[in-house]
Every structure is written in structure tokens, then in C-alpha cells.
Amino acid sequence: MSNHVTILGSTGSIGRQSLEVIAALGMEAVALAANSSVKRMEEQARQYKPKLAVLADEKAAADLRVRLADTNVQVLGGLGGLLEAAVIPSADTAIAALVGMAGLRPTLAAIREGKRIALANKETLVCAGPLVLEEARDYGAKILPVDSEHSALFQCLEGHDRREVKRLILTCSGGPFYGKAQEELAHITVEDALRHPNWSMGAKITVDSATLMNKGLEVIEAMHLYRVPVEKISVVIHRESIIHSLVEYCDNAVLAQMGAPDMRLPIQYALTWPNRAASQAVTPLDLWNCGPLTFGSPDLDTFRCLALALEAAKTGGTAGAILNGANEGAVARFLAGEIGFLDIARKVERAMERVPVVQNPTMQDILDADQAARESVG
Ligand code: NAD
Ligand code: MG
């Protein structure tokens, strides 16, 4: 069980919910780190009184330092500050809740200190899964999933012999555009894409949930995390987000983990594992009033991003880093109003055609693949 926690990405959706969970469990947040949100970081620092508050943006960090001059909170900036927060000796646990490939270096730094890693930052595993997991084994850092599907799989796998697993089944809400045809997606606006039916999340993952790239990234994340080949991972559309994922065993028994859609539950389990703690914050699941649960197949022709991610999973090597780098670049351009919704998949596909894949990559190969994929997106 965790007691002292550093939160990388504390001002984001996962970061803020993590702070709620930590406070409710009586744990201590010893360091907080984020990108540039000065005001929110000041509020968090005053409320949670960490030893260290970091903003990656140097100007924002300078501003924060002035604002927190009357407190005992140390303020640092830049990548150096982010790494200090990752390795702060008083933390036994790091919550990796930065968004995107930016999370890779700080997460690796925390792993090398042997800390428990509550991992929300899926892009890190998509890009560099085998390397990250190897380091975690070498340094004795336990990685516990925060992503709701992976937490569900983890819970359904616990206590079972992995050789008896027939397949992992990830549930997918289908996002806001479920059931629509390609033509209808052409004129989707940023505002449309940011409206998710079941979850309130950061902008990048909300767009990924609308394109179904999020599910594709999650398939790759699951493949690495549980060392299961992609052929043994399936995606099922489940609009209600009550079943968070399932494991099918060789005797055809299927175990599911259920709960109200609330990220505070998987966050909490990553912190309390191997125990559970009573939660006042998480809404109990009211089975008698939650309505029917439905299941269907994903439409891979309309939601090309999921098909491309499955292809990258099969290819292996740096394909995940290329897929992810191109997607991060394309989503940023979509959010900036520069490209259309359907262009995201087109740009990712083009990057996958153009950037050569390296098998058994080094960290440098992965960083190069990421860079080349971003450049191809423009
Ligand atoms: P968010 O955009 O709300 O928050 C991201 C956080 O990272 C913020 O604190 C931001 O300041 C910080 N950040 C971003 N770029 C940075 C940089 N370059 N340097 C330093 N800090 C930086 O995102 P989120 O929704 O909280 O998601 C975080 C991660 O968790 C993502 O990888 C996402 O896929 C994953 N995740 C989120 C949810 C969810 O419900 N929000 C669910 C499952 C997984
Ligand atoms: Mg998820």
C-alpha cells in the first residue's frame, strides 16, 4: 500500500482525481508536477502542502515561485524539475498521469528508483512497452494500471494461472460517434469530439476516444502489460461503461470487473493494492437501476484509427511509437482547428507507410521513430 505519493500530471483529469483519492485515504502528496497551469498548481500546493511543486514550463514555474513565496513549498521548473518530482526520495509511489510521450522520461526515472508506479500514461507503454517493463523488473518497480480497462483485466487475472487465459476482452464505449458512417464524420468539430458520453477526461484522450484510437492504444498497452499476443485480445463495444473489461479462460469462463464509470476506483486500487479500502468517493453500482447492458462489434472501416493500431500491434518494434507520435501530432493539429476529424486517421496511416519500422528497438530508435512520425504529420 502506498503512503507518500508524487503525482506527475497533478493538474489534469487523472491528477485531480488522484489528489481526491489520496486525501480520502489519508495518504500524503509529497510532490506535484504539471505543465503550465500556474493558478491550479498554486491552489493544489496550498491545499495539499507538498514538499515540491513543479511546472515544466520555466516561465510558469517562475510565476509559481513568486506566488508560493509565503509557503514552504519548493518550486522547480523544466524537465529537470519534472525528473526531481519523479525521483523524490520521500515518495514510495509515483502516479504517472502526464499525457503523451512527454511522460516517458519521468516515468522511467521513477521506475529506476524502484517506486510503485500507478500508470495512467498509456502512451509510455505504447511507445516503449518492452523497455519500460524490463526496467521495472530490473529495478523492482511494481507497475499498477490506472487505465480502467487494464485495472479490470488486472483484477480478473489476479490469482489465476496466465497459461489458462484464452483471451483478454477490452470494453469500448464506442465514443460520441458510435453508429455513424464515415461521411457523417467528415464535418465533426472540435466541440463535438470533446463531448464524451460517459467519461470526463483531458482533451487529447477525449479525441482519442472519439476516433477509437484510445482503444487501439489500450490494446497495445494490454499486450505489453500482460504479455499477451494481439491475436488474443478482442474489443467489444459496450455503450454503458459498466463492465470495464473481461478475461476469457480456457474453460470458456469469462470473468468481468464491473463498477460505475468513475476513474477514482482504478486510481484507488493502484494505490491500495493488494488490499482494498472502503470508499466514500466512488458511487456504488446500482445494478437494479442501471438498465440493460449491451454488447456489439467495433466498426473498423469507419473508425480507422482502431484498425491502424491493431496493425501496429501486429507489426511490433517501433510501430507503436510511430502510431502514437503521428496520433499525438495529428490530434494536436485537430484541436488547433488545422485539420479535420477524418484527417487524424489519414495522417497516422501515412506516417505508418512512410516511417520505417525497427524491430527490437533501443530507446534512441523509439525517440527517432516518434520524431519522424510527428514530422510526417507536419
Ligand atoms: P489531462 O490533459 O487532463 O492532464 C495532463 C496532465 O499532464 C496535466 O497536469 C498537464 O499539465 C500535464 N502535462 C501535459 N503535458 C506535459 C508536459 N509536456 N510536461 C509536463 N506536464 C505535462 O490528461 P488526463 O485525461 O488526465 O490523462 C492523463 C493520462 O492518463 C493520459 O495518458 C491518458 O491517456 C490517461 N488516462 C486518462 C483517463 C481519464 O479518465 N482522464 C483514463 C485513462 C487513462
Ligand atoms: Mg481506458
Side-chain angles (χ1 to χ4, degrees), residues 47-257:
Q47 183 175 352
Y48 295 99
K49 304 184 172 48
K51 291 186 173 60
L52 175 64
V54 175
L55 287 174
D57 182 296
E58 295 277 10
K59 266 176 80 181
D63 186 1
L64 183 69
R65 197 169 291 121
V66 174
R67 287 170 180 247
L68 291 177
D70 62 318
T71 69
N72 293 324
V73 181
Q74 185 193 3
V75 175
L76 291 175
L79 176 63
L82 218 51
L83 296 175
E84 286 291 325
V87 303
I88 188 167
S90 51
D92 49 62
T93 299
I95 300 184
L98 296 181
V99 60
M101 178 78 168
L104 180 60
R105 287 190 62 185
T107 305
L108 270 178
I111 285 175
R112 290 179 183 145
E113 294 299 314
K115 295 188 193 303
R116 169 183 296 213
I117 310 292
L119 188 78
N121 179 225
K122 64 191 81 181
E123 294 91 347
T124 290
L125 282 188
V126 170
C127 296
L131 291 182
V132 169
L133 294 169
E134 192 183 312
E135 298 253 345
R137 274 192 299 278
D138 290 352
Y139 288 92
K142 179 78 185 161
I143 296 189
L144 289 146
V146 164
D147 214 344
S148 57
E149 294 78 1
H150 304 76
S151 176
L153 293 172
F154 179 71
Q155 294 176 60
C156 295
L157 287 166
E158 271 185 307
H160 292 271
D161 187 331
R162 294 293 172 90
R163 288 167 302 188
E164 294 167 1
V165 172
K166 191 160 137 192
R167 67 175 160 165
L168 309 180
I169 305 170
L170 276 84
T171 51
C172 172
S173 75
F177 310 131
Y178 172 74
K180 289 205 189 302
Q182 278 263 343
E183 312 79 72
E184 296 175 86
L185 297 182
H187 303 292
I188 293 295
T189 64
V190 171
E191 212 187 15
D192 298 330
L194 289 182
R195 227 178 283 125
H196 193 280
N198 302 350
W199 301 96
S200 156
M201 310 176 285
K204 191 259 177 185
I205 183 178
T206 306
V207 174
D208 287 349
S209 301
T211 60
L212 298 203
M213 178 58 93
N214 183 51
K215 208 48 54 180
L217 298 177
E218 289 183 354
V219 167
I220 303 177
E221 183 186 6
M223 174 177 92
H224 292 315
L225 210 46
Y226 302 120
R227 292 208 252 170
V228 168
V230 65
E231 293 75 19
K232 289 184 166 190
I233 305 178
S234 303
V235 173
V236 65
I237 299 289
H238 167 53
R239 296 291 287 156
E240 299 78 21
S241 300
I242 298 289
I243 296 182
H244 299 304
S245 279
L246 317 90
V247 177
E248 183 174 22
Y249 284 92
C250 55
D251 59 357
N252 293 331
V254 178
L255 303 195
Q257 187 260 329

Side-chain angles (χ1 to χ4, degrees), residues 101 127 319-330 348 351 369-371 373-375 377:
M101 178 78 168
C127 296
I322 296 166
L323 173 94
N324 180 72
N327 183 58
E328 283 193 31
V348 172
D370 172 70
Q371 186 64 30
R374 282 170 203 268
E375 280 166 14
V377 167

Side-chain angles (χ1 to χ4, degrees), residues 17 20-22 24-25 262-269 272 276-285:
Q17 296 179 82
E20 273 180 46
V21 170
I22 287 168
L25 292 172
D262 187 332
M263 286 308 296
R264 290 172 300 185
L265 179 53
I267 292 169
Q268 169 165 319
Y269 194 55
T272 63
R276 291 185 184 269
S279 172
Q280 266 89 53
V282 177
T283 330
L285 174 61

